[in-house]
Amino acid sequence: MTVLWLLLHLTSLGLGIPQPSVPGRSFQRPAVAWPSLFKLNLSREVEETIQIPNNSSAPLLVAVQVFVSNVFNVDILRYTVSSMLLLKLSWLDTRLAWNASVYPRHAVTLPWDSLWTPRLTILEALWVDWRDESLQARVHQDGLVELTLALTTETNCNFDLLHFPRDQSHCRLSFYALSNNVTELEFQVHAVNEIVSVKREYVVYDLATQVPPWQLVPCFQLTLSLKNTALKSIIALLVPAEALLLADVCGGLLPLQATERIAYKVTLLLGYLVFHSSLVQALPSSSSCNPLLIYFFTVLLLLLFLSTMETVLLAGLLARGTLGAKSSPSPASRGEQRDHENPGPNPEEAPRGIKGSRRSWPETADHIFFVMYVAGVVCSQFIFVGIWVWAACKSDPAPGEAAPHGRQPRP
C-alpha cells in the first residue's frame, strides 16, 4: 500500500512538472522534482514506480492506438511528408493497483513523469514536436495505465514517382522504444484514419500497422498510403504539352514556300523549351525510378526539334532552287522567246502547262515527311499509353536494408 499512498499524495499535491516541447527530440521523461519531505522516506518507492513493470517471464504488453488526424505538406522535391498523430497507450502495472473498498476511487490522474512510460523515438523523423505540456496519465484501480500523446512530425518518405502525376506512395513511420529490449516490452498496435479534409493534392487512402519481427529493440510501424489527386498536374503539364504538339502538326499544313512557316515552327520550339525547363524543376532530380513524364516530354521535344529542322532545311533548299532558276534561263523561257518570233499554235503548250504544275522535289519531300510525322506522333501517343499502363519499376535496395535497425549485419 506504500505505492498507493505515494500516488495519492502526488495527486493531491500536483507535483507534475511539464516538459517544454522541443522539436527534434524523442518523448523522454524529465527529472522529477520531489519535495524534501519525501526525499528520504520515499526515494526507494519512487525508483520502483518509474521502472518498467515486471511481468514475470513474458514481456509487458503495451496496446497502442494511432489516430492520424492530418497529413500535410507533402514535398516530393525533398522526399518529406508532415503529419499530425495522436497516440493512445495503455498497459497494466499491478504495482499501482489498490483496493476499491478501502480507497473508493475508480481512477486517479497523475503527472506522466511520476511513473514509468515508454520512451518513443521515430526513426524516419527529421523533427518531432511532442505536445506534452501538462501531460497526465490516468491510472485505474486494477493498475491499468492510459496515456495520450499528441505530436507533429516531418518524416522522410521514399515516394514512388514513376507514374507521376497518378502516383501512389507508401510512407513509413517506425516508433522505437530504445530504452528497452524485446524481452521487457511488446507492442500491440492499431491505426485509425481520422482525416476529415480531402482538400489536398495528396490524400491518405489506407493505413497499415505492423510489429516487425526479429528485432532487438521493441518497435511498431505505421504505413501511410498516399495517392495523388493529379488534377492540378494534368492541367499544368499534360494539357500544354499536347496542345503544343497539336499546333506543331497543324503547322505542317502551311506551304513550304511561306516565310511564316519557319517563324511559326521556331516560336513553338522556343516555347516548348521554356516549358520543358520548368517541368524539370518541378520534379525531383534524383530517383531510382524517374517519372515517365520526363521521358515523354523529352520525346516531344525531339519531335518538335526534328519538325523545325526539316522545315528550315527544305525551305532553304527550295529557296536556293528558285534563285538558281531565276539566274539561268530555262528551256521554257527560251521557247517563249521563239513563240514571240514565230507566233502560231504550239502543240507543246498544254504539256508544258501540265509539267509546270508539278511540285518541286523539296515540296514532295516535305509532303512525305508530314505524313510520316503525323503517323509517328500518333504512334508515340499509343506507345506511351501502353508503357504507362504496363511499366513497373523496382527501386534499388537502400544501403541500410542489409543491416536494418535492431538486426545483426548480414554476412
Side-chain angles (χ1 to χ4, degrees):
M1 302 303 294
T2 306
V3 175
L4 175 61
W5 177 78
L6 169 64
L7 295 176
L8 293 177
H9 275 284
L10 287 175
T11 306
S12 60
L13 295 177
L15 300 177
I17 299 178
Q19 179 188 13
S21 176
V22 180
R25 295 189 179 181
S26 62
F27 177 70
Q28 297 180 354
R29 181 189 305 103
V32 181
W34 301 104
S36 58
L37 177 63
F38 296 98
K39 283 184 178 179
L40 297 179
N41 298 329
L42 303 180
S43 58
R44 180 175 300 177
E45 286 80 358
V46 170
E47 290 297 330
E48 293 178 357
T49 304
I50 61 178
Q51 294 294 326
I52 184 172
N54 186 7
N55 198 16
S56 65
S57 60
L60 177 66
L61 182 62
V62 176
V64 183
Q65 282 187 311
V66 184
F67 296 88
V68 182
S69 58
N70 196 4
V71 173
F72 59 97
N73 194 25
V74 178
D75 193 342
I76 62 174
L77 297 179
R78 298 177 56 239
Y79 288 93
T80 59
V81 58
S82 300
S83 56
M84 298 177 63
L85 307 176
L86 186 69
L87 305 181
K88 290 187 176 181
L89 297 87
S90 60
W91 64 93
L92 188 63
D93 191 348
T94 56
R95 300 172 303 177
L96 305 180
W98 69 86
N99 191 347
S101 60
V102 179
Y103 299 95
R105 299 190 63 177
H106 297 286
V108 294
T109 302
L110 302 176
W112 68 274
D113 53 355
S114 62
L115 66 161
W116 177 87
T117 57
R119 302 183 181 184
L120 299 178
T121 301
I122 303 179
L123 185 64
E124 298 86 358
L126 302 179
W127 58 265
V128 183
D129 184 9
W130 297 91
R131 291 175 287 175
D132 51 8
E133 295 183 2
S134 304
L135 192 60
Q136 303 287 325
R138 187 170 181 81
V139 183
H140 296 265
Q141 64 180 12
D142 57 351
L144 179 64
V145 183
E146 296 179 343
L147 181 65
T148 301
L149 304 175
L151 66 142
T152 302
T153 180
E154 183 181 56
T155 56
N156 180 264
C157 180
N158 187 20
F159 293 106
D160 184 7
L161 300 176
L162 180 67
H163 293 92
F164 178 87
R166 298 293 298 175
D167 54 295
Q168 297 181 5
S169 302
H170 304 282
C171 303
R172 180 177 298 174
L173 284 77
S174 303
F175 294 82
Y176 282 84
L178 300 178
S179 59
N180 301 103
N181 54 56
V182 292
T183 61
E184 299 175 336
L185 182 60
E186 181 181 350
F187 290 108
Q188 184 180 18
V189 60
H190 176 68
V192 179
N193 189 350
E194 287 195 334
I195 301 176
V196 296
S197 175
V198 294
K199 296 180 179 180
R200 295 283 189 274
E201 184 177 0
Y202 282 86
V203 296
V204 178
Y205 69 92
D206 190 23
L207 291 177
T209 58
Q210 66 172 346
V211 178
W214 310 107
Q215 297 287 334
L216 298 178
V217 179
C219 72
F220 64 90
Q221 293 178 343
L222 171 68
T223 302
L224 304 173
S225 298
L226 303 178
K227 179 172 60 177
N228 194 346
T229 56
L231 180 60
K232 174 183 175 182
S233 301
I234 290 177
I235 295 176
L237 299 178
L238 292 180
V239 173
E242 295 294 340
L244 284 173
L245 186 61
L246 180 61
D248 182 68
V249 172
C250 295
L253 299 175
L254 294 174
L256 185 60
Q257 62 270 20
T259 57
E260 295 83 2
R261 179 172 172 177
I262 296 180
Y264 181 82
K265 292 278 189 175
V266 172
T267 303
L268 286 179
L269 181 60
L270 293 177
Y272 192 81
L273 284 174
V274 175
F275 171 77
H276 190 270
S277 63
S278 62
L279 168 70
V280 172
Q281 295 178 1
L283 293 177
S285 58
S286 60
S287 174
S288 56
C289 294
N290 291 314
L292 290 175
L293 281 185
I294 293 181
Y295 307 102
F296 175 70
F297 290 134
T298 302
V299 171
L300 293 188
L301 178 61
L302 294 177
L303 288 175
L304 289 176
F305 178 78
L306 180 63
S307 175
T308 304
M309 291 299 100
E310 181 270 342
T311 298
V312 172
L313 178 62
L314 293 183
L317 293 177
L318 180 63
R320 179 172 295 182
T322 304
L323 292 176
K326 290 181 179 180
S327 61
S328 61
S330 61
S333 61
R334 288 195 298 268
E336 290 178 357
Q337 292 179 359
R338 288 196 301 268
D339 292 340
H340 287 296
E341 296 176 356
N342 300 316
N346 189 356
E348 296 181 358
E349 182 177 358
R352 282 201 308 269
I354 297 175
K355 185 177 180 180
S357 63
R358 295 179 180 177
R359 297 175 180 174
S360 61
W361 74 267
E363 293 176 330
T364 303
D366 179 70
H367 178 72
I368 297 175
F369 176 83
F370 176 75
V371 174
M372 296 177 60
Y373 182 73
V374 172
V377 168
V378 174
C379 291
S380 66
Q381 304 301 304
F382 283 104
I383 292 174
F384 176 74
V385 172
I387 294 176
W388 182 276
V389 173
W390 299 105
C393 179
K394 185 178 181 181
S395 301
D396 298 332
E401 289 185 358
H405 186 80
R407 299 185 186 180
Q408 297 294 332
R410 297 176 183 175

